[in-house]
């Protein structure tokens, strides 16, 4: 079974600083995707970044990057130059690749507050 | 940019009533999903739908729930005989292909059962 664990219920960061959100996961599959989704106060789910497990290179999207440690089953999100608009709930999620299931498994989320 | 749209954004219903939540997936997408998020909790998978049939469902998705693609554009979630614990945010999502593409989410429908 897939599980995703986010051990930080809440985080706070000063504007323009860098923050790292942690995520660990467990799966018996060798092929899978990992995602970070952002949920602002509007509660819409917005894809931030995606990582394919077969790729060794860490994904980056502008100010967002991940540290993917496959052996440790760790997938952290780094937000550089934090902005007030980054204030949101962040969910880590996993999905198997090429199998019978396409469902996303989400963690419990980390509420990030960016302080001015 | 194409997006998944959900209506209504907020629905209040009496306990025991039936509700239909509506979604218009992105037009060239083939896989459709419903997820649920009870306030303060994590997002949970309910059901996936492909080729006009359910491809996977969770243990939450019991006989109280049903999904339908009544025409070429809409994807609906019907909840019969609503209970207080059905109060949640319901998200529709779609993906172009199931295996290798990410799901795009709608803005959600907040269902409140009173």
């Amino acid at each position: 079974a897939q599980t995703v664990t986010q051990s930080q219920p809440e985080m706070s960061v000063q504007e323009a600083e860098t923050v790292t959100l942690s995520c660990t996961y467990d799966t018996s599959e060798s092929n899978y995707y990992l995602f970070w989704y952002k949920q602002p106060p509007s509660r819409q789910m917005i894809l931030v970044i995606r990582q394919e497990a077969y790729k060794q290179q860490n994904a980056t999207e502008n100010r967002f990057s991940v540290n993917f440690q496959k052996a440790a089953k760790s997938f952290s999100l780094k937000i550089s130059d934090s902005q007030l608009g980054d204030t949101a709930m962040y969910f880590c999620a996993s999905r198997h690749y090429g199998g019978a299931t396409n469902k996303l498994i989400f963690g419990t989320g980390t509420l990030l507050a960016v302080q001015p | 940019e194409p997006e998944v749209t959900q209506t209504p954004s907020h629905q209040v219903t009496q306990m025991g009533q039936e509700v239909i939540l509506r979604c218009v997936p992105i037009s060239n997408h083939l896989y459709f999903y419903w997820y649920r998020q009870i306030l303060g909790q994590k997002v949970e998978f309910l059901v996936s739908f492909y080729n006009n049939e359910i491809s996977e469902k969770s243990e939450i998705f019991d006989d109280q729930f049903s999904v339908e693609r009544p025409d070429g554009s809409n994807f609906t979630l019907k909840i019969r005989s609503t209970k207080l614990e059905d109060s949640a945010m319901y998200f529709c999502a779609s993906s172009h292909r199931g295996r290798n593409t990410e799901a795009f989410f709608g803005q959600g429908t907040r269902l409140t059962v009173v």
Side-chain angles (χ1 to χ4, degrees):
Chain A
Q2 289 175 270
T3 60
V4 176
T5 302
Q6 294 178 251
S7 58
Q8 305 156 314
E10 296 184 26
M11 295 277 288
S12 181
V13 65
Q14 292 295 123
E15 197 174 4
E17 297 294 307
T18 295
V19 65
T20 298
L21 308 183
S22 301
C23 173
T24 58
Y25 62 92
D26 194 15
T27 178
S28 56
E29 299 290 326
S30 56
N31 295 317
Y32 50 91
Y33 290 105
L34 297 166
F35 306 86
W36 279 97
Y37 280 88
K38 171 184 176 180
Q39 187 180 45
S42 66
R43 300 199 73 184
Q44 183 163 8
M45 297 290 286
I46 302 167
L47 179 66
V48 175
I49 200 165
R50 178 181 98 165
Q51 174 81 42
E52 290 88 344
Y54 61 85
K55 289 187 177 178
Q56 293 185 330
Q57 186 173 7
N58 289 324
T60 63
E61 285 288 339
N62 302 313
R63 298 182 294 107
F64 299 87
S65 62
V66 299
N67 183 6
F68 174 46
Q69 301 290 325
K70 191 171 184 178
K73 295 184 177 177
S74 169
F75 182 62
S76 60
L77 175 70
K78 185 171 81 171
I79 306 174
S80 304
D81 186 25
S82 298
Q83 300 175 359
L84 296 178
D86 295 334
T87 292
M89 181 72 90
Y90 287 82
F91 290 98
C92 180
S94 71
R95 195 187 83 209
H96 287 162
Y97 169 93
T101 178
N102 301 318
K103 67 182 179 186
L104 286 161
I105 302 297
F106 287 87
T108 51
T110 296
L111 181 61
L112 176 66
V114 180
Q115 308 291 345
Chain B
E1 186 173 327
E3 58 181 20
V4 177
T5 57
Q6 291 185 241
T7 55
S9 57
H10 189 192
Q11 177 142 10
V12 181
T13 189
Q14 295 279 340
M15 190 168 56
Q17 296 296 304
E18 175 182 286
V19 295
I20 297 176
L21 310 184
R22 303 182 189 279
C23 170
V24 179
I26 295 174
S27 63
N28 64 344
H29 284 189
L30 302 176
Y31 291 80
F32 316 113
Y33 312 87
W34 283 102
Y35 289 82
R36 180 181 81 175
Q37 184 185 29
I38 295 172
L39 186 64
Q41 299 186 21
K42 65 179 176 180
V43 179
E44 299 173 294
F45 168 78
L46 290 178
V47 65
S48 60
F49 191 87
Y50 169 71
N51 199 27
N52 283 319
E53 61 182 22
I54 291 173
S55 52
E56 185 178 7
K57 61 182 181 179
S58 72
E59 62 275 9
I60 302 169
F61 194 88
D62 59 20
D63 292 342
Q64 187 192 4
F65 297 89
S66 62
V67 290
E68 192 178 33
R69 188 156 163 81
D71 52 42
S73 60
N74 290 284
F75 179 52
T76 62
L77 174 69
K78 182 188 291 185
I79 309 175
R80 289 179 281 274
S81 188
T82 50
K83 299 173 284 192
L84 295 177
E85 53 264 39
D86 294 326
S87 294
M89 197 76 164
Y90 289 83
F91 292 99
C92 174
S94 69
S95 61
H96 180 56
R97 296 187 306 272
R99 297 179 177 181
N100 302 336
T101 57
E102 62 256 38
F104 291 85
F105 283 78
Q107 78 279 21
T109 293
R110 184 190 300 270
L111 176 66
T112 303
V113 182
V114 297

